[in-house]
Amino acid sequence: MLLVPRWVLFSSGCAPVLLIAGWAISAALEGSAYDPVTQTISVLAAYGASGSWVMTGAFLALGVCHLLTAWGLRAAAAAGRVALAGGGVAALAVAMVPAPSSGGSLGHGSVAAVGFTLLALWPVLAATAGRATPWALRPLPSFAATAVMVAGAVWFLVEMHRHGMAGVAERVVTAVQSLWPFVVVLSCLRHRAGRRAEQSA
């Protein structure tokens, strides 16, 4: 029997909702001075931003969600759970080390880069083999998820370099990264339900 408690569905499901709501509300509070197409999410949490408290709260909530999900997702390989938890810690650190109101920040950028990397790698690190494995934890879907996240991160870096649609690229990749734990948990619970149905038939 897969060791995935149902409450993990709540922690993993809240992650993308809170993140997207955070940047949407923060952008609305910032008004026309903020361009979501070209400017990053970190700008919304920067010192002096009108909605910084909302975006900072979203980062904190996201970090807690990832930590709880990593704790409860015992069906995944240990390396993947550690990477997911590390991504949660990185989200907490991003909230604690906000970007400056203008210019770059080595500390903030480094923490964000670590978080991106860990959340991109955790699917493939969490993969397990065997017929009893839920589909989202199997090697092929896990590798595909990591590949999509890495491609999104590369797209983000390209857009940052060319001063293009960095905001769009960042939102796409962070949305995918925050959603994948929910997909994994859902697949685990559905797989367990299917196994129970087969045994009772």
Side-chain angles (χ1 to χ4, degrees):
M1 182 178 293
L2 293 172
L3 299 175
V4 182
R6 295 192 66 84
W7 60 261
V8 184
L9 193 65
F10 178 77
S11 64
S12 60
C14 283
V17 173
L18 293 171
L19 178 63
I20 293 171
W23 79 48
I25 295 171
S26 298
L29 292 173
E30 197 67 20
S32 59
Y34 177 75
D35 182 4
V37 174
T38 60
Q39 291 181 286
T40 66
I41 301 169
S42 296
V43 173
L44 295 171
Y47 293 113
S50 299
S52 62
W53 60 277
V54 176
M55 198 64 242
T56 298
F59 282 140
L60 292 172
L62 178 67
V64 171
C65 285
H66 284 334
L67 286 169
L68 289 173
T69 301
W71 179 36
L73 191 56
R74 294 187 289 272
R81 294 174 65 196
V82 170
L84 178 58
V89 172
L92 297 176
V94 164
M96 297 294 99
V97 188
S101 57
S102 62
S105 168
L106 179 61
H108 178 83
S110 299
V111 170
V114 169
F116 266 111
T117 302
L118 290 173
L119 291 176
L121 292 178
W122 95 265
V124 74
L125 294 175
T128 58
R131 295 181 60 185
T133 302
W135 73 266
L137 285 174
R138 294 173 185 169
L140 186 58
S142 299
F143 178 81
T146 290
V148 168
M149 294 176 197
V150 170
V154 171
W155 176 33
F156 171 64
L157 292 174
V158 170
E159 294 297 336
M160 283 286 290
H161 180 71
R162 62 188 290 269
H163 303 290
M165 298 189 301
V168 173
E170 185 185 33
R171 280 164 175 76
V172 170
V173 68
T174 54
V176 171
Q177 288 183 334
S178 66
L179 182 62
W180 185 249
F182 175 73
V183 174
V184 173
V185 171
L186 187 62
S187 76
C188 290
L189 294 176
R190 287 177 61 86
H191 184 80
R192 181 172 64 183
R195 291 285 298 276
R196 285 178 173 173
E198 290 177 0
Q199 292 172 358
S200 61

